[in-house]
């Protein structure tokens, strides 16, 4: 019981404040975040896919399809390390996610100018970590669908 009071309850307050700031205030805010995320993903993927050949774009789509599950199974820190140290496609995906979190996201979880992996490692509190992990899952879910659609329309 002491563990719950000391460790878990303080972290739940982060979710409550996020929920109050974005979801409870108005469903329009949640949709705005989703629309901003989709715009960011779409513009980045369209540029990447249009500048690569069909074989490379197919590989990119295949890699994107595995990422939502990878985040759920391994955690965001492990996936970020994998993306950062991977081939050029994986590094491009990492840069897309980093740009979203550090520059474009209206959530402003991190300060600009940091490396995303380091910023996630330095997060204080389980609640913030889980929130970032969930946002990354949503990002990758939407990215895999948009990548497939862009590839098929090209």
């Amino acid at each position: 019981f002491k563990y719950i009071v000391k460790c878990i309850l303080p972290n739940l307050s982060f979710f409550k404040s996020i929920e109050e700031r974005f979801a409870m205030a108005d469903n329009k805010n949640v949709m705005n975040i989703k629309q901003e995320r989709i715009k960011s993903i779409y513009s980045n993927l369209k540029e990447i896919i249009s500048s690569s050949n069909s074989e490379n774009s197919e590989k990119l789509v295949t890699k994107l399809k595995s990422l939502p599950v990878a985040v759920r199974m391994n955690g965001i820190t492990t996936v970020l390390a994998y993306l950062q140290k991977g081939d050029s496609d994986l590094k491009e995906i990492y840069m897309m996610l980093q740009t979203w979190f550090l520059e474009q996201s209206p959530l402003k979880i991190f300060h600009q100018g940091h490396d995303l992996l380091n910023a996630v490692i330095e997060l204080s509190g389980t609640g913030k970590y889980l929130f970032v992990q969930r946002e990354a899952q949503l990002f990758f879910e939407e990215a895999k669908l948009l990548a497939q659609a862009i590839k098929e329309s090209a």
Side-chain angles (χ1 to χ4, degrees), residues 79-96:
V79 171
L80 289 175
Y82 168 73
L83 293 173
Q84 192 179 51
K85 301 298 179 198
D87 61 19
S88 62
D89 286 342
L90 295 176
K91 287 179 183 176
E92 286 189 74
I93 295 168
Y94 179 86
M95 293 307 296
M96 282 176 39

Side-chain angles (χ1 to χ4, degrees), residues 55-103:
E55 183 180 322
N56 288 342
S57 62
E58 184 62 42
K59 287 179 184 177
L60 179 71
V61 170
T62 301
K63 290 172 185 174
L64 278 168
K65 285 180 180 178
S66 68
L67 290 176
V69 173
V71 171
R72 276 191 292 279
M73 299 294 289
N74 302 313
I76 186 63
T77 308
T78 304
V79 171
L80 289 175
Y82 168 73
L83 293 173
Q84 192 179 51
K85 301 298 179 198
D87 61 19
S88 62
D89 286 342
L90 295 176
K91 287 179 183 176
E92 286 189 74
I93 295 168
Y94 179 86
M95 293 307 296
M96 282 176 39
L97 188 63
Q98 178 170 280
T99 301
W100 167 248
F101 272 119
L102 300 182
E103 298 171 20

Side-chain angles (χ1 to χ4, degrees), residues 110-125:
F110 305 109
H111 301 317
Q112 289 185 0
H114 286 79
D115 175 68
L116 182 58
L117 179 58
N118 289 332
V120 170
I121 289 170
E122 293 173 3
L123 277 174
S124 60

Side-chain angles (χ1 to χ4, degrees), residues 131-143:
F131 181 79
V132 169
Q133 182 166 294
R134 180 64 183 141
E135 180 65 19
Q137 283 177 292
L138 293 170
F139 184 94
F140 291 138
E141 287 288 347
E142 290 160 0

